[in-house]
Amino acid sequence: MLRMIAIIMVVLLIIANHFGSRAKKEKIVSNWLVIARICFFVLLTVAIVHFILTLSAYWWLKLIGIIYLILVDILMETNFRLKRETFGDPNRAYGVTAALVVALLIIIGWF
């Protein structure tokens, strides 16, 4: 169940990042940012719950996964901030999307 929630949240994050970085109006960018923040909060909560429920000998690998998710969120927030303040950076948007796809692959293998 946690795996399915995590996969859905990452897919929603990819969609929110894509449409938020392509939006023309600041209000629409802000709306996608709110959706992305909610999805990330749910994803991080699921990751922490999974970390606590399955403490094992390889706990540090799961901790690295949680730190990676936090770094991806920082990158995504920076991307949205640049989009709201300027016209955004398409290369950064592609980088964030690639990082989210890697996060999706990690979650599929992790859970």
Side-chain angles (χ1 to χ4, degrees):
M1 184 68 182
L2 290 176
R3 180 180 185 180
M4 189 57 64
I5 293 171
I7 290 172
I8 290 170
M9 289 301 116
V10 172
V11 169
L12 287 175
L13 277 171
I14 292 170
I15 291 169
N17 181 54
H18 176 74
F19 287 115
S21 63
R22 307 270 182 293
K24 302 293 182 197
K25 296 181 181 177
E26 183 180 347
K27 182 178 180 182
I28 296 173
V29 173
S30 297
N31 291 342
W32 283 110
L33 177 60
V34 168
I35 292 170
R37 284 180 178 163
I38 291 170
C39 291
F40 179 76
F41 176 73
V42 171
L43 178 64
L44 191 60
T45 304
V46 166
I48 290 171
V49 167
H50 184 263
F51 176 74
I52 292 171
L53 289 177
T54 60
L55 279 175
S56 65
Y58 301 108
W59 61 271
W60 53 274
L61 283 175
K62 293 181 181 185
L63 188 62
I64 290 172
I66 291 172
I67 292 171
Y68 177 76
L69 288 176
I70 293 170
L71 291 175
V72 168
D73 180 56
I74 292 170
L75 187 63
M76 188 175 58
E77 291 283 336
T78 306
N79 185 37
F80 276 111
R81 182 186 56 82
L82 283 174
K83 180 63 180 175
R84 284 191 340 203
E85 292 176 357
T86 63
F87 294 112
D89 184 10
N91 293 330
R92 184 180 298 255
Y94 295 136
V96 172
T97 304
L100 287 170
V101 169
V102 169
L104 177 64
L105 295 175
I106 288 172
I107 286 175
I108 288 173
W110 183 26
F111 279 87

